[in-house]
Amino acid sequence: MFSLGKYDALTYTDSRGGCRLNYDGGKRERTHMNMSGILVVAKPEQCEEVAAALAKLPGIEVFQKDVESGKIVIVQEATSIEQEADGARVIQQIPGVITVNMVYHYFADDPSLKYPSSETAELSSY
Amino acid sequence: MTSLSRREFMKKSIAATTAATVGLPVTKAALAQARNAEAGWKWDKSVCRFCGTGCGEQVATFEGKIVAIKGDPDAPVNRGLNCIKGYFNGRILYGEDRLTQPLMRMKNGKFDKTGDFVPVTWEQAFDEITAQFKRVYKEKGPAAVAMLTSGQSLVQEGYAAAKLMKGGFRSNNIDPNARLCMASAVVGFYQTFGIDEPANCYDDFELADITVLWGNNMAEAHPILWSRATDRRLAAKDSRIINITTYRNMCSDIADLEIIFKPNTDLAILNYIAREMVQRNAVNMDFVNKHCVFATGPVDIGYGMRPTDKFAFPAEKDTQAQQLKHTIDKYEAIAQRRKEGTVAETAKAAPDAHWQISYDEFKRGLEPYTLDFVAELAKGDPDESLNAFKNKLKQLADYYISGRQKNILSLWCMGVNQHVRGVWVNEQIYMLHLLLGKHGTPGNGAFSLTGQPSACGTAREVGTFSHRLPADMLVANGAHRARTEKLWKLPAKTLNPKVGTALMVAMRGLEDGSVNFVWTQTVNLFQSVPNTNHWLKAARDPKNFIVVADSYPTLSGKVADVILPAAMINEKWGGYGNAERRMQVWRQRVNAPGQARADVWMMLEFSKRFTLKEVWGELPLPGLKVDGFPENKMPSVLEEAKKMGYNEDMTLYEVLFAHADNKKFAWPDPVAKGEDNTVVKLLGDGWFVEKALFEEYRQFTVGHQHDLASFDEYYADNVRGLRWPIVNGKETKWRFSEGNDPYVKPGEGYNFYGPLLKATGTGDLDGVKDATPKPLPGRAKIFFRPYAAYPEQLSKEYDLQLCTGRILEHWHTGSMTRRVPELHRAAPSAVLYMHEADAQARGLKHQDLTWVETRRGKIKMILDTRGRNKVAKGTIFGAFFDEGVQVNQLTLDATDPLSLEPDYKKSAAKVYKA
Ligand code: SF4
């Protein structure tokens, strides 16, 4: 039976557009692949530094950058949506970053992409 | 393919698609590979469900599930980008705790208010809801039932709910949570222009030279608009961004000028700028003389609290008393040209009264707002020198007065609207732009942004407010009711002429016994309204019955009697309207899980359970006193209904919804392109509900300055929403100016044609001198509004200013749990931002667990003195998004007295170690 008594651990959609999927983040979603194509816009003069800082973040691969416009294309991989949003927040705080924009989000439940448990651990260690 | 190589393959594909979408070079081979990765997927257009920006997106489905979302490169709003919230658009459907069955509180197989939630059938749920509704409705009439909806409701859902409540149940007690975010903007529009919704559009972001943010943290609240603004800033070297705010936020990183001001003193700063315009001869007199009048209204209008302290907690009584009597402080004395210590009585004022004044009177009103006075009053950062602050104010005035060749765009949202004088501040921002003659033209204008995805399209334009009818008509206006009755084919006098309960009033009604039945849709009110300790308790009063329709369990669900599982965005057909008057639509793409159903289906099913004789006979309506209506009751319209061919045993479903005109829209329809429609299937009578309701609603708009296009036009493959009014197939980017707006005739230059409140008395700053209505056709009003203090000033005991708002990191717990894992679950707590020095003074440090207490309640929060929201000394900031941390237990439920929108930003609090 469903109980709202154990309220703290429940998922909800709030009244103004916020949402929370679940408190455990990715722990329950081992076969769930979340991959996102993200456009990071950096101050052009700091583009290289930002790209270098991005490359060091776990789960993130830098694919393309345009030093003139400060545009950097990265792909982020994570085991949960919380982790992704969280990662985006980390990116936002890199000095020189102006905006972080999500362009493409793939999140299929894909058993062929099952993560070995060691990998999960690594990916969740933001 | 092995797991690893498939991952690499997907990654490369995603990188290629991303680069192509944002206009970076990609090889043909990479693109071809990307297409391969998506083999078998079906892409179709949709809209982000999160904020009022209204970003277009493409949604991919595969084997009955959504598998990917991308920013729609063809969407003019966002050109392929989404903000971080975009992550949630697809996955939000698949949370583990989706509600999939109706739940009802039961004991021994029967409904029991004290029972536990048990899954029941839809039939059982509807039976109990109907019985409870009829119990309240029979005894107390239409004023005791309420439907509380949302700025996230789809256009058709809002329309069906409003029609059922107003046309069916003859109750105006329907109000959206947009009351909590946009109501002040609406009254500002009505009073200034006589018509709702912005004159400007997003194209202005690339056309503005100077962009001014008034209490609007766009970087977090409207990220994609912010990226357009920052792009412009980087591309046009001479462009500027000005951030006027009560605390340092992310927008300050890019801003050329940051002004930190004390809450409520925006009223004074705006008058200072206007005064400078006058002093420096910068007023565009030609424009003002041709297209505007000056106006003002009463000053002592209270704070939208109850006029009695009967229901107040003991600690609340002193704040509550401000509603009736307020002592003029030293700054108000100067700003309002009166004596310090005067006791202002508010009981008699009609807050929304206003009258025309002369330009000389207007100037006299501005006179006290000198740089010296305003700087001393408004400086928000104790660490900033007065001179530095003065310089900033002067610069701000310089920017506004920087001459004809510079385009200037003013933007605002919650910071201005959630304000005890929110309507006034809206009007003052229009004041600046009207004085300059820079409004509603490319790159120039005062542009009110919106928080929710369809606060504009549904709540405001459809009119799911307690005072509104579709397309800017009002329930209190006889001609508007008559037009609505005609379009809805209702007997005359079916519609109730008395304004219903605004959201805050409905909540208070649960407490004082005037409202006993509430149904909420797509809204978590018991978390999001201020001062929740009152309403949480009231919901559990045995006389009250609460229905919560939502997709996930919420705090509101916890205090409900019945929880109905609702379908979400791409699980149903629908449309949203964003802040630039752009209506956008999508198709149903996937099925809702379990027995979750669309809100529109719930409304239609509910309507089947009422016959005309139950709702269109004579009904009690205490307090009704309107010409042509009996006192204290709604008249029976059954005889009239019979003459129109109805019989009294017909259901509201047959009369309001499944009538012959609507049944002409048959399902299936080619516009579906193979997609399904669960609502139609469940109803089983073959009409295309969403299309029929949309087309019915559209009749209100065409020819009435709100012209929408047809249902099918919005679904055309090449259309990414259209901005109304759409006349002769052309959308409108800027309203009221010649050449841009089809309702402005050649030679007029401008025409502020909004029809509401277009005749007023005349007088001076102190009051009406001649009440004879003087018409002001085609003109906008330039209001003088004075500075006024907020009701709950800091005291020795409550010595910190609590401001609430939304911030990104509070949506998800990853950041929080990582920081303080030991507190996770044991004491789930959100973050309280505080200045380092204030923390030290209280013996607190970063990440301490603290109690935050106001007159209304106390909660635990974790202290953050290093976050990116850098508050000034004396201010604290808490987000209200964490269900474990009910910041709204703390907030004061004072509202703007004109808009009845709460001010979440100014509660006096104390903080101490937990
Ligand atoms: S800016 Fe608003 S509409 Fe656009 S993706 Fe973000 S939340 Fe959605």
Side-chain angles (χ1 to χ4, degrees), chain B residues 59-118:
Chain B
V59 173
T61 47
F62 181 62
E63 292 177 343
K65 274 199 142 188
I66 294 180
V67 291
I69 303 245
K70 64 181 176 193
D72 190 337
D74 297 324
V77 172
N78 52 311
R79 300 163 195 158
L81 306 182
N82 269 185
C83 78
I84 296 165
K85 285 171 259 189
Y87 282 116
F88 294 89
N89 268 309
R91 282 295 304 283
I92 193 175
L93 270 45
Y94 302 113
E96 293 199 351
D97 299 318
R98 261 307 281 274
L99 294 167
T100 55
Q101 265 184 300
L103 304 167
M104 186 153 80
R105 291 185 179 274
M106 305 275 274
K107 244 184 207 166
N108 307 322
K110 276 207 325 254
F111 168 72
D112 190 315
K113 184 102 187 167
T114 62
D116 285 334
F117 281 108
V118 174

Side-chain angles (χ1 to χ4, degrees), chain B residues 685-722:
Chain B
D685 45 5
W687 59 290
F688 190 171
V689 173
E690 295 84 355
K691 184 168 179 173
L693 291 180
F694 184 86
E695 290 294 343
E696 189 185 294
Y697 161 51
R698 183 181 169 227
Q699 294 175 51
F700 283 90
T701 67
V702 174
H704 287 260
Q705 301 130 352
H706 290 77
D707 312 58
L708 296 172
S710 71
F711 187 82
D712 288 0
E713 281 171 88
Y714 290 104
Y715 279 94
D717 285 342
N718 60 343
V719 167
R720 294 295 181 271
L722 295 166

Side-chain angles (χ1 to χ4, degrees), chain B residues 230-540:
Chain B
T230 53
D231 276 358
R232 167 71 178 167
R233 176 67 192 86
L234 296 178
K237 275 206 196 68
D238 293 336
S239 67
R240 294 288 178 268
I241 292 178
I242 301 163
N243 188 25
I244 305 173
T245 175
T246 55
Y247 61 90
R248 166 158 295 181
N249 56 35
M250 273 167 69
C251 299
S252 300
D253 296 350
I254 287 282
D256 299 281
L257 176 65
E258 178 202 54
I259 294 181
I260 308 272
F261 68 97
K262 262 197 223 121
N264 260 41
T265 66
D266 39 2
L267 289 153
I269 295 173
L270 285 151
N271 280 343
Y272 158 71
I273 302 169
R275 187 179 180 276
E276 285 295 299
M277 288 179 183
V278 171
Q279 299 279 319
R280 300 192 209 171
N281 266 329
V283 176
N284 182 341
M285 286 315 294
D286 184 47
F287 179 88
V288 169
N289 287 333
K290 274 197 197 130
H291 307 297
C292 307
V293 297
F294 291 93
T296 195
V299 176
D300 301 322
I301 57 175
Y303 305 99
M305 295 183 283
R306 286 195 272 216
T308 164
D309 63 4
K310 193 171 152 199
F311 302 96
F313 302 140
E316 286 184 294
K317 295 203 186 227
D318 61 339
T319 298
Q320 181 79 45
Q322 296 276 318
Q323 176 61 22
L324 297 175
K325 284 198 172 91
H326 167 75
T327 308
I328 299 298
D329 71 22
K330 96 172 187 216
Y331 294 112
E332 288 176 307
I334 298 169
Q336 303 174 8
R337 294 160 290 101
R338 53 213 290 205
K339 259 215 191 88
E340 185 179 350
T342 310
V343 177
E345 305 216 12
T346 57
K348 276 182 224 93
D352 57 346
H354 59 276
W355 52 88
Q356 296 174 53
I357 58 172
S358 67
Y359 182 41
D360 283 339
E361 274 298 279
F362 175 78
K363 287 193 285 193
R364 190 164 74 89
L366 295 177
E367 207 30 57
Y369 297 85
T370 61
L371 182 59
D372 287 343
F373 168 65
V374 174
E376 189 193 322
L377 167 65
K379 188 169 74 73
D381 181 358
D383 292 336
E384 186 172 39
S385 80
L386 190 63
N387 265 337
F389 188 68
K390 271 191 196 172
N391 268 333
K392 286 183 172 178
L393 289 184
K394 243 178 96 289
Q395 274 187 59
L396 175 64
D398 293 345
Y399 279 126
Y400 269 98
I401 310 177
S402 52
R404 257 173 215 210
Q405 54 297 345
K406 292 270 186 205
N407 291 342
I408 183 155
L409 186 65
S410 299
L411 303 165
W412 69 96
C413 197
M414 304 306 168
V416 166
N417 294 336
Q418 293 175 341
H419 189 312
V420 281
R421 295 291 179 268
V423 172
W424 290 8
V425 181
N426 272 272
E427 291 171 350
Q428 286 180 305
I429 303 176
Y430 296 128
M431 164 185 75
L432 297 186
H433 284 261
L434 291 170
L435 286 172
L436 295 169
K438 289 184 172 184
H439 185 63
T441 54
N444 278 309
F447 190 175
S448 156
L449 298 175
T450 188
Q452 299 185 85
S454 204
C456 291
T458 305
R460 291 160 67 175
E461 290 154 27
V462 169
T464 62
F465 282 87
S466 61
H467 61 299
R468 290 178 83 153
L469 292 166
D472 266 342
M473 294 195 292
L474 303 171
V475 298
N477 181 313
H480 292 176
R481 288 196 306 277
R483 179 163 179 249
T484 307
E485 281 161 349
K486 196 160 163 248
L487 282 170
W488 282 351
K489 299 197 166 66
L490 308 175
K493 294 194 184 152
T494 305
L495 292 175
N496 181 337
K498 191 168 180 274
V499 171
T501 51
L503 202 145
M504 235 23 259
V505 181
M507 296 309 251
R508 291 170 187 164
L510 283 174
E511 189 179 48
D512 66 31
S514 58
V515 172
N516 297 119
F517 177 98
V518 165
W519 182 324
T520 75
Q521 292 181 344
T522 329
V523 60
N524 182 6
L525 284 181
F526 291 88
Q527 169 148 347
S528 62
V529 297
N531 207 353
T532 45
N533 280 331
H534 287 273
W535 335 123
L536 289 166
K537 190 160 159 256
R540 301 315 307 142

Side-chain angles (χ1 to χ4, degrees), chain B residues 826-863:
Chain B
S829 300
V831 174
L832 180 77
Y833 292 101
M834 185 188 268
H835 192 281
E836 185 91 53
D838 284 338
Q840 271 167 13
R842 286 162 182 77
L844 300 168
K845 56 181 194 311
H846 186 61
Q847 298 211 342
D848 271 354
L849 189 65
T850 63
W851 281 110
V852 186
E853 182 175 338
T854 69
R855 290 166 170 85
R856 294 156 291 277
K858 62 176 192 174
I859 61 171
K860 277 185 190 165
M861 294 182 94
I862 295 166
L863 200 65

